[in-house]
Amino acid sequence: MVKKAPRRTAERILEVTLELFNRFGEPNVSTTLISAELGISPGNLYYHYPAKDELINSLFDRYERALNELLNASDGVRDVEDAWFFMHSLFELIWQYRFLYRDLNDLLSKNRRLETHFQTVLKGKTRAIKALLDGMSRTGAVRIDSREVEATATSMVVVLTYWLSFEYVRDPRRALEAENAQSALLRGAHHVLNLLVPYLEPGQRLHLLQLVGAYNNGDK
């Protein structure tokens, strides 16, 4: 029987670091804790990632690649159901890298690379939301004045970006625990799409309410 090759140490380090950052928050996780959790020496950790910022940057690179791929799917959104699935997918990715969002202001204040790259993330999200609005407008799912698109897209990006922070403030001890993930993601998707309610065609508005109701009932 051929034995599986062990996972590369660098890969294992990133996986465990992401788990610890998400569980405890990046400021509360030291490289000593990471190496202890992995059962490796601090020297082995430093060999792969000589500074904590390199761990953060590597995880952010992964997140950014996955995000850009997902944002490209906004071109295919045509109605409320497409938008619901797209938004929920975005929140799932944000949840996967939730430490970035819970500790966002702290990370930006001390990591120059994240400070500059997160500007690109926000621009990418805004472009994607505008593409979503454009696609839904072309099918008649929404009717929105072109002069309102920029402000609406920005408002949706603000809620999308800071929703997990709101959840955390609401319930610091439990909000970001894994068992609460589904309800937090559903609430986030609902509140982002709720900003479209004034512009939705009546049938689409009803369908959004039905989607929210179905998922809420399933979450009970």
Side-chain angles (χ1 to χ4, degrees):
M1 181 176 174
V2 179
K3 289 185 178 179
K4 281 187 177 180
R7 285 181 300 166
R8 290 171 55 240
T9 302
E11 181 73 16
R12 287 181 54 238
I13 289 171
L14 282 184
E15 288 176 4
V16 169
T17 298
L18 178 59
E19 182 184 340
L20 292 172
F21 281 178
N22 282 340
R23 193 192 314 167
F24 300 116
E26 178 275 329
N28 302 314
V29 176
S30 66
T31 52
T32 302
L33 176 59
I34 295 168
S35 58
E37 186 76 11
L38 282 156
I40 63 175
S41 68
N44 197 354
L45 177 64
Y46 296 146
Y47 172 78
H48 294 282
Y49 300 98
K52 189 178 176 183
D53 272 355
E54 294 197 25
L55 287 163
I56 295 168
N57 292 340
S58 295
L59 289 171
F60 179 78
D61 288 345
R62 282 182 165 196
Y63 164 72
E64 194 172 22
R65 284 194 297 271
L67 177 66
N68 289 336
E69 184 176 337
L70 181 53
L71 291 179
N72 289 334
S74 64
D75 291 333
V77 174
R78 295 291 176 266
D79 55 28
V80 157
E81 190 144 349
D82 290 344
W84 178 266
F85 179 76
F86 174 73
M87 206 56 63
H88 198 271
S89 298
L90 270 179
F91 271 107
E92 284 181 337
L93 181 61
I94 288 171
W95 181 269
Q96 187 181 348
Y97 292 89
R98 57 194 175 276
F99 83 92
L100 288 169
Y101 287 84
R102 181 172 67 178
D103 305 317
L104 183 57
N105 291 347
D106 182 67
L107 285 167
L108 296 182
S109 70
K110 62 187 183 184
N111 187 309
R112 177 62 180 163
R113 187 164 182 274
L114 257 63
E115 180 186 344
T116 55
H117 276 247
F118 224 89
Q119 304 294 319
T120 305
V121 166
L122 292 180
K123 288 174 184 175
K125 286 180 184 176
T126 303
R127 278 195 302 270
I129 296 297
K130 287 180 179 178
L132 176 150
L133 291 173
D134 182 59
M136 294 180 73
S137 294
R138 281 187 276 111
T139 62
V142 301
R143 298 186 181 280
I144 183 169
D145 190 305
S146 59
R147 294 169 295 184
E148 296 180 90
V149 168
E150 185 73 33
T152 302
T154 299
S155 296
M156 292 174 75
V157 169
V158 169
V159 177
L160 180 64
T161 302
Y162 286 98
W163 183 258
L164 287 187
S165 293
F166 173 74
E167 290 277 351
Y168 183 69
V169 170
R170 227 167 49 94
D171 189 0
R173 295 185 181 275
R174 295 180 301 172
L176 300 188
E177 296 300 321
E179 61 269 21
N180 297 313
Q182 190 66 9
S183 56
L185 298 179
L186 291 173
R187 281 193 297 270
H190 174 203
H191 281 81
V192 174
L193 291 179
N194 200 60
L195 291 167
L196 292 183
V197 165
Y199 311 108
L200 288 174
E201 179 270 330
Q204 289 287 293
R205 186 180 305 131
L206 178 61
H207 190 44
L208 176 60
L209 291 173
Q210 290 169 338
L211 284 170
V212 172
Y215 278 93
N216 284 342
N217 289 336
D219 194 43
K220 288 177 183 177

